[in-house]
Structure formats: structure tokens, C-alpha cells
Amino acid sequence: MTQHKIVTAAILAIGDELLSGRTKDKNIGYLAENLTIYGIDLKEVRIVADDQDAIVAAVNALRMKYDLVFTSGGIGPTHDDITADAISAAFGLPCVHDAEAMRLLGAMYERRGIEFNEARQRMARMPQGARHIENAVSTAPGFIVGNVHVMAGVPSVFQAMVGWLLPQLPTGVPVMSRTVVSPFGEGEIGKPLTEVQKNHADTSIGSYPKFDGNGFYTEIVVRARDEAVLQAAVADVEAMLDAIRQTRDSARA
Amino acid sequence: MTQHKIVTAAILAIGDELLSGRTKDKNIGYLAENLTIYGIDLKEVRIVADDQDAIVAAVNALRMKYDLVFTSGGIGPTHDDITADAISAAFGLPCVHDAEAMRLLGAMYERRGIEFNEARQRMARMPQGARHIENAVSTAPGFIVGNVHVMAGVPSVFQAMVGWLLPQLPTGVPVMSRTVVSPFGEGEIGKPLTEVQKNHADTSIGSYPKFDGNGFYTEIVVRARDEAVLQAAVADVEAMLDAIRQTRDSARA
């Protein structure tokens, strides 16, 4: 089996509003999809409250375990935005008003004739020595400390930050995937599909039941990092479905 | 401050397809919203792959820490559905074909003239002694072991299971919430809102920036378990916004 370079990642979404169900998260799915494109393997996602102990525990668990950690939420100007403090605490670093962030934000508010008050200055706070993640939408930067990438929760801002950040990260060999739609439910294909998976151990074959109101059909997704490996497994999945069709036809005949 | 009965919970969503971004999760937001209605405090969410070690580690961490754990995904009939095995392993219980589940599924397939084959029988597997969670959509039950509630990943089935399950759970005093829309961005209200939060320590005040293309406005959400406590804080938030409006008007005059 070919050895491919693997880069692993976790996402930590932060916010009471996600846990109350008031806000339906859009950032996890968006970043998950983009990490797949860049060949970064997302291994785990957590959502925690705006609570310093919960954020510190989660970020420390995840940064030790995975190559890259991405957070969303809690870097705005109000009292419930405590992500910069919590990430600083997790790294044992002081949380400071970053000089360059103060300059960027100060200039932006001056241009717009808006007071750069204490609350707005909170958005310049980050762990001492952190690098910036550019924010093309509303200026206030995200930041990088160690392997942790801290971004905004507002989806338009989060997406702009992801767009700036991803091309700069170490990436792995992307996983390719092919979907084969099976008209048969999982109960029908379960056993033969297990055989196909066993015969193609260097692929990952997922089976996703879909319910359309009348009954179940199945989307079979084959994943691999090598095109030839992928094609061989897809061919066997298709042959398996043909075999089921023929068995049904001969039963009817 | 009144002591209210608090019931805490975590959600564990299981599935490679959620981490690849191929499927955008709908179950977390749905259950989060319903838990809030029932007065159950959702404290943490995790998403992990169809990987036994990852599922065991997550479910054991969460069931020790919270009163209730809810899982979604991985209880179908195919090789990648390993949640029943993983939950059994987490509890050190044998994973068996449950007699009552075999009977329910067997009868359903017989009615429909469909073979109750080995793959379909997999859906009757659960930790020995587990109780069922009813599945009004497609019969195959979810199950309860200890404080862990294992449900399907297909949203229509998940929702049916949640609908059956929630009325039977221990619930807390629901958190009430009121939303005040602020025309001012977070930078404007940040400092006075911090004061309001300090003066109403038995409420939780969240501030959610919204970006409408022209600029930011803010939704301020006040939460409390007591109506009088809630109203007093909401009144102070509204007074705070009036004060900002008056300052602006007098600056223009």
C-alpha cells in the first residue's frame, strides 16, 4: 500500500447560541468541505459554550492530538467574546492588545469616522506573539498560535478567513471520492458490500441510506488517495449492484 | 439566587460523511433546539468518524461528564455501521442480536415480503440489556444503555426517535430567552452591555453580530430560568439602547 502524507485536523466551534439551537452552525460543514479539497483529514469536531474552562480543555485536547486546529466564534467586542482570553490561557501566554491589530482597526475606524472605543479595541486582543489571519470583510483579524487557527463565528467573516488561510497550510494528498447510487437499500447490499470493502482495504467505502418517502435507497461513496485504487473499487461496487439486479430479474422470470 | 434543577447533556454525531463535508449535519441543531424546549442544558457536541476507538473515547468522556448523552448515526445494516459495537465496547458489554428487535424487524420484513437477511439482522444488534428507542419511520430501534441514547443518522428517523424519547427524560427548568434587536453594532454596545450583564449575574446575556452587507447590527439575547429576573435584565438592555440613541441625537443637535 502506498504511503501518503496525512495531515490531520479538528474544528472547535465556540458559542452558547450553537448549543441552545438558536443558531444553526454553518461553519463546520463549510470548513469540512474545504479541508477535504485541500487534502486535510478532519478527524474530530467539538462545539463548546462561551466558557473559559470548556474552551481551554477542548483546545488543549485537540491541539495535542491533531496537526491543525481551527476555531470559530467568540472574537468580537462584547463581554461574551472570551475566545482570545481562553486560547491565551490554554497556551499559558498573556492576552494583549496586538500593536498591528490596533493600527489596522484604528485606521479603519478613523476612515469611517467611528470612535475606536474600548469595546472595539477588544478585537485587537490575542495571545502575545500570535500571527494574524486576514479579515477582508470587517478588518478585525483572526490569529494563529502554535497549530491553532482562531477565526470569527459570523459565516461571511469565517469564510473570508478560511479563504485566506487554507492556501498557506501544509496539505496532504487529497482524498478522491466517487459516488455510486444504489437503487437497493442498505439491507440488500450490506453483505456483498462488506466483501467489496474487504477486497479493497486501501479504500474507505461508506454507505449512506437515503429515505425518499417511499423507501430507502443508498449512496455508496468510495474514497481513496489513488485514482487506480479508487477505480478498481468502484468497478467492483458496480459489478456487485449488477449481480443483485440479475438475481432479481431471474427471480421474476 | 434561586437554585433550579439542572440537567446537562452532550451530543455525539458519528459519521465519516459529516467530517468530509459531504453531508451537512441537520441532527445537532434539531436536537439542540428541542433540548432547550425541554429544559435540558446542552453543554458539548462532538463529531467523530466511523472509527471504534474514536467513538469509544468520545462516548466514555461524555457519559462520565454529563447527565445525558445522545448519539446519531452508524446503526444501519452495512459494514461501516459500527456504533452498536462501539457503544457495547465503551460499556464493556457484549453486542448481541436483541430478541425483541429481531422479532419486530422479522415481522416487518415478513409483512413486506422482504428477506430478513444477515445485513438486516445487524440492525437488531445492541449492547446486552439495552432498552429500545422506538422508530416509527423504519422500525429498526435505537437503544438506551446507561445514560447514553443511541439514535439513527437519517434525519427523518432521528427526528422520530427524538420525538418519542424526549417526553420520557428527566428535564430541568427550561431557560427562557428574550431577544432585543440593537441597531448598533457590538463595538457600540460592548461596554454598556458588559455593565448590564454584571448587574444581572443570574442571567446570561449573549450578543450576536449580524452582518447585512452594509454593516453590523446586533441581536442581544437574554436568558434566565425565572420570568421576573429575565424581565428586569431586558428592561435594562432596552434602557441602555435608549441611552445610546439619546447620546447620538444630542450629538447631531
Side-chain angles (χ1 to χ4, degrees):
Chain A
M1 206 182 298
T2 322
Q3 284 300 314
H4 294 287
K5 187 183 144 212
I6 306 288
V7 179
T8 61
I11 298 175
L12 175 63
I14 298 163
D16 292 350
E17 73 281 18
L18 301 172
L19 295 173
S20 73
R22 188 179 183 279
T23 298
K24 303 292 180 290
D25 172 81
K26 290 174 183 161
N27 295 333
I28 294 168
Y30 179 83
L31 181 52
E33 207 169 344
N34 278 277
L35 291 175
T36 298
I37 292 167
Y38 277 86
I40 296 170
D41 284 14
L42 179 61
K43 293 290 192 185
E44 184 171 347
V45 175
R46 297 192 191 183
I47 307 176
V48 297
D50 298 305
D51 173 276
Q52 174 145 336
D53 292 344
I55 300 169
V56 169
V59 83
N60 278 340
L62 297 174
R63 73 189 177 95
M64 304 298 176
K65 206 166 167 188
Y66 304 107
D67 297 325
L68 303 168
V69 177
F70 304 92
T71 80
S72 72
I75 60 170
T78 54
H79 67 279
D80 58 340
D81 292 306
I82 62 165
T83 298
D85 297 273
I87 301 289
S88 301
F91 280 87
L93 290 168
C95 189
V96 300
H97 285 86
D98 177 84
E100 174 63 8
M102 287 293 283
R103 196 191 62 73
L104 281 169
L105 284 165
M108 182 267 286
Y109 284 115
E110 192 175 346
R111 264 197 317 277
R112 294 170 55 195
I114 294 173
E115 186 199 358
F116 188 32
N117 62 15
E118 191 181 317
R120 295 186 176 107
Q121 289 178 27
R122 273 177 67 81
M123 292 188 285
R125 294 172 75 246
M126 58 184 75
Q128 196 157 47
R131 285 176 298 139
H132 288 199
I133 296 174
E134 241 181 66
N135 171 355
V137 172
S138 56
T139 307
F143 58 84
I144 306 170
V145 50
N147 60 344
V148 178
H149 304 77
V150 176
M151 297 183 278
V154 176
S156 58
V157 181
F158 181 81
Q159 291 173 18
M161 288 181 172
V162 167
W164 181 88
L165 179 63
L166 284 194
Q168 313 189 28
L169 294 175
T171 54
V173 175
V175 174
M176 293 169 291
S177 73
R178 202 88 15 108
T179 300
V180 181
V181 176
S182 156
F184 312 116
E186 287 196 309
E188 192 81 21
I189 62 173
K191 198 177 173 189
L193 190 63
T194 304
E195 289 306 307
V196 176
Q197 173 70 84
K198 275 186 195 153
N199 294 336
H200 295 273
D202 43 1
T203 68
S204 153
I205 304 180
S207 161
Y208 305 111
K210 302 285 161 181
F211 189 74
D212 67 4
N214 290 313
F216 284 97
Y217 65 100
T218 314
E219 289 181 2
I220 301 170
V221 180
V222 185
R223 297 188 194 86
R225 286 192 146 85
D226 183 288
E227 179 63 33
V229 166
L230 184 69
Q231 280 183 10
V234 168
D236 276 7
V237 169
E238 284 167 347
M240 176 204 82
L241 294 176
D242 283 343
I244 297 176
R245 258 181 226 108
Q246 280 170 20
T247 309
R248 293 207 165 186
D249 289 349
S250 58
R252 270 195 219 106
Chain B
M1 201 182 299
T2 322
Q3 283 303 311
H4 295 287
K5 185 184 146 212
I6 304 290
V7 180
T8 63
I11 297 175
L12 175 62
I14 299 164
D16 291 351
E17 73 281 15
L18 302 172
L19 295 172
S20 73
R22 187 177 184 280
T23 299
K24 303 291 181 288
D25 172 81
K26 290 175 184 159
N27 295 334
I28 295 168
Y30 178 83
L31 180 53
E33 207 169 342
N34 279 277
L35 291 175
T36 298
I37 292 167
Y38 278 85
I40 296 172
D41 284 15
L42 179 61
K43 291 293 190 185
E44 183 171 348
V45 175
R46 297 193 191 182
I47 307 176
V48 297
D50 298 304
D51 173 277
Q52 174 145 336
D53 293 345
I55 299 169
V56 169
V59 84
N60 277 339
L62 297 173
R63 73 189 176 96
M64 304 298 176
K65 208 167 166 185
Y66 305 107
D67 297 325
L68 302 168
V69 177
F70 303 92
T71 80
S72 72
I75 61 170
T78 54
H79 66 279
D80 58 339
D81 291 305
I82 62 166
T83 298
D85 297 275
I87 302 290
S88 301
F91 280 88
L93 289 169
C95 189
V96 300
H97 285 87
D98 178 85
E100 173 64 8
M102 287 292 284
R103 197 191 61 71
L104 281 169
L105 285 165
M108 182 267 286
Y109 284 116
E110 190 174 347
R111 266 198 313 280
R112 294 171 55 197
I114 294 173
E115 187 198 359
F116 188 32
N117 62 16
E118 190 181 320
R120 295 188 176 106
Q121 290 178 26
R122 275 178 66 82
M123 291 187 286
R125 295 171 77 246
M126 58 184 72
Q128 196 157 48
R131 284 178 300 140
H132 288 199
I133 296 174
E134 241 180 66
N135 170 357
V137 172
S138 56
T139 308
F143 57 85
I144 306 171
V145 49
N147 60 343
V148 179
H149 304 75
V150 176
M151 296 182 280
V154 176
S156 58
V157 181
F158 181 82
Q159 290 172 21
M161 289 181 173
V162 167
W164 181 88
L165 179 62
L166 284 194
Q168 313 191 27
L169 294 174
T171 55
V173 175
V175 174
M176 292 169 289
S177 73
R178 201 94 8 117
T179 300
V180 181
V181 177
S182 155
F184 313 115
E186 287 197 308
E188 191 82 21
I189 62 174
K191 198 178 174 186
L193 189 63
T194 303
E195 290 306 308
V196 177
Q197 172 71 84
K198 273 185 196 154
N199 294 337
H200 296 272
D202 43 3
T203 68
S204 154
I205 304 180
S207 160
Y208 305 111
K210 302 284 160 180
F211 188 72
D212 67 3
N214 291 313
F216 285 97
Y217 67 100
T218 313
E219 288 181 4
I220 301 170
V221 180
V222 185
R223 295 188 196 87
R225 287 192 146 85
D226 183 287
E227 179 63 35
V229 166
L230 183 69
Q231 281 184 10
V234 167
D236 276 8
V237 169
E238 284 167 348
M240 176 202 84
L241 294 176
D242 283 344
I244 296 176
R245 258 180 223 109
Q246 280 170 22
T247 310
R248 291 207 164 184
D249 290 349
S250 58
R252 271 194 216 106

